[in-house]
Amino acid sequence: MDDQRISSVLEQLLDPNGLDVVLIGSMPSVCLVHWSMRSTDEVVITRERRIHYLSNHPEMHQLEYHLVGSFVDPDEIHINKSDSNIALAYARLFETHWLRIAIIVSQNLDLKNSVVSCRLARSKEVLEGRKANRLVWAKR
């Protein structure tokens, strides 16, 4: 995703009178191949979920640019350990930290895949996911 598209999505998210549902874009199909019954590769953020992740993870105020850009170029995709309908997209930000984006994968033709939450994750969490066989795709 180019900088202009990322800036456009961020403007929509930051607009207090904007849409309640903002289309971020499409994830590469190869990233979501594990969820063969998904209805789309498109991902949205709802205003309610944005408020959630900003309230619970205030570091996301400075990282939203990376959140939007990470959809087209994640480093790894894992299955959530407690809900197999949630994809965890990880994008490495620093040597010791990754951006962790939880996305509910929709099987409903009327709904897009949707960000549930977003936060920083330590490298240890990503390694634990690999060891537990939750890794379903990795950029090589």
Side-chain angles (χ1 to χ4, degrees):
M1 182 179 295
D2 63 27
D3 286 339
Q4 185 176 1
R5 176 69 183 133
I6 292 171
S7 295
S8 173
V9 170
L10 286 174
E11 284 178 27
Q12 292 176 60
L13 289 172
L14 294 169
D15 182 353
N17 300 314
L19 300 170
D20 286 335
V21 179
V22 175
L23 177 65
I24 300 170
S26 294
M27 290 187 74
S29 293
V30 68
C31 293
L32 297 174
V33 73
H34 176 79
W35 294 271
S36 60
M37 299 300 288
R38 71 188 181 281
S39 61
T40 182
D41 293 336
E42 292 182 316
V43 180
V44 298
I45 295 178
T46 65
R47 188 160 304 281
E48 183 272 330
R49 290 283 87 195
R50 180 175 185 263
I51 290 168
H52 163 81
Y53 69 70
L54 290 175
S55 298
N56 291 291
H57 310 288
E59 71 276 9
M60 289 309 303
H61 285 279
Q62 288 80 31
L63 297 174
E64 275 193 303
Y65 181 89
H66 297 289
L67 163 65
V68 174
S70 293
F71 285 100
V72 295
D73 194 27
D75 293 302
E76 295 187 11
I77 303 291
H78 293 217
I79 301 170
N80 184 287
K81 67 181 171 183
S82 60
D83 185 341
S84 63
N85 288 321
I86 293 182
L88 300 177
Y90 287 101
R92 175 168 254 158
L93 294 179
F94 314 109
E95 186 64 31
T96 59
H97 285 86
W98 299 61
L99 186 61
R100 176 191 184 268
I101 309 163
I103 304 160
I104 190 153
V105 180
S106 177
Q107 294 179 20
N108 183 330
L109 293 175
D110 295 329
L111 299 174
K112 307 277 190 243
N113 304 314
S114 184
V115 171
V116 177
S117 191
C118 188
R119 64 173 172 78
L120 280 178
R122 295 188 186 276
S123 293
K124 179 182 176 184
E125 177 181 327
V126 177
L127 293 172
E128 287 172 356
R130 292 176 192 160
K131 287 179 186 176
N133 294 318
R134 291 192 300 269
L135 175 68
V136 294
W137 179 86
K139 182 171 31 176
R140 300 284 178 214

